[in-house]
Amino acid sequence: MKKIIIMLSMLISCINVDAQFNKVGRTALQFLKIGMGARQAAQGEASIANHQDINSIFWNPAAITNIDNIQASFNYTSWISDLKVLSGGIGLRLGEIGIISFGVIQMDYGDLDEAITTSTSGGLDTRTGLKFGGSDLALSFGFARNFTNKLSIGVNIKYIREELHTFSSNVWAFDVGSYYETGWKGIRLG
C-alpha cells in the first residue's frame, strides 16, 4: 500500500510540473510538426513504420529503402489562417550502396497586419496599417541503407531557417531512423 501511495504522489507531482511550463506560442520551428504527404496525413500521421515511399523522409529516414530507382513527391497544403505549406522530396537508389534523398519544406505566412500590442485603448482597433510577413524553410539531405533483408537505417541532415518580420533564426539538425520488418504477422518497427 505504501508503494502505491508513493507512485500516485509521484504521478500527481509530474502532472503539476507539466502544467507550470506551458510553452504555447513561445516555441520555434512548429512548422516541422505539420504532417507531410497525403497518404501519411490521411492515416492520422501514423506512418513511422507503415509506409516505404519518398514521403518517409519527413517521418523516418530509414523507411525510404523500398525505392527501386528514383521516386519524387511534391505536396501543397493551404493550411489554417492562410498559411501555405509546400514540400517535396526526391530519392535515388545507388545500387547496393543505398539511397540518397533530398527534401524541402517551405511555409509562407502571407501578409499579416501589424498591431500595437501595448495598447490600453480598451478594445479599439490597434492595427497600424502596416504589413509584415514570415516564412519557414527546412532543407534535408539523407542517406538510407538496408543492412539486412529486415533492417534498414537512415539519417537526414537538415538546415532549418525561420523568419518573422525583422527576426530570423537558423539551425542545423539531424534525424536518425530505423526500420525493422519482424516477419511476424506483418509487424514492422520504426
Side-chain angles (χ1 to χ4, degrees):
M1 184 66 174
K2 186 178 179 182
K3 289 181 182 180
I4 294 173
I5 293 172
I6 291 172
M7 287 175 50
L8 285 175
S9 65
M10 289 175 60
L11 179 63
I12 291 170
S13 67
C14 289
I15 292 170
N16 289 336
V17 168
D18 185 47
Q20 294 172 11
F21 295 104
N22 185 356
K23 296 181 184 179
V24 173
R26 294 181 279 162
T27 57
L29 307 175
Q30 294 297 302
F31 76 104
L32 295 174
K33 293 180 179 179
I34 298 172
M36 299 298 148
R39 186 176 182 190
Q40 287 82 350
Q43 293 186 333
E45 299 181 358
S47 58
I48 300 297
N50 282 346
H51 307 292
Q52 286 187 294
D53 61 11
I54 190 59
N55 285 319
S56 295
I57 62 172
F58 304 116
W59 302 91
N60 180 359
I64 64 171
T65 54
N66 200 34
I67 295 173
D68 288 330
N69 293 320
I70 188 168
Q71 194 176 98
S73 174
F74 302 97
N75 304 289
Y76 173 79
T77 304
S78 183
W79 200 246
I80 55 176
S81 297
D82 294 330
L83 299 175
K84 293 164 184 57
V85 182
L86 179 68
S87 67
I90 187 164
L92 174 67
R93 178 169 287 283
L94 302 174
E96 295 297 318
I97 296 171
I99 296 174
I100 58 170
S101 63
F102 176 75
V104 62
I105 303 172
Q106 196 272 333
M107 185 165 86
D108 181 18
Y109 297 177
D111 289 331
L112 304 169
D113 292 323
E114 185 179 77
I116 302 169
T117 58
T118 57
S119 173
T120 58
S121 60
L124 296 177
D125 189 0
T126 61
R127 290 179 285 185
T128 64
L130 301 174
K131 303 268 188 190
F132 70 96
S135 65
D136 299 327
L137 175 69
L139 301 172
S140 67
F141 178 76
F143 177 76
R145 181 166 189 222
N146 286 330
F147 286 91
T148 69
N149 62 345
K150 294 184 176 189
L151 174 68
S152 60
I153 296 176
V155 63
N156 280 342
I157 298 171
K158 292 182 179 180
Y159 170 76
I160 306 170
R161 180 168 179 82
E162 189 168 61
E163 296 179 9
L164 183 60
H165 193 39
T166 59
F167 304 99
S168 67
S169 176
N170 56 40
V171 67
W172 287 91
F174 66 94
D175 298 328
V176 177
S178 63
Y179 181 88
Y180 184 71
E181 183 79 42
T182 64
W184 182 69
K185 295 188 178 189
I187 295 177
R188 297 176 296 255
L189 304 174

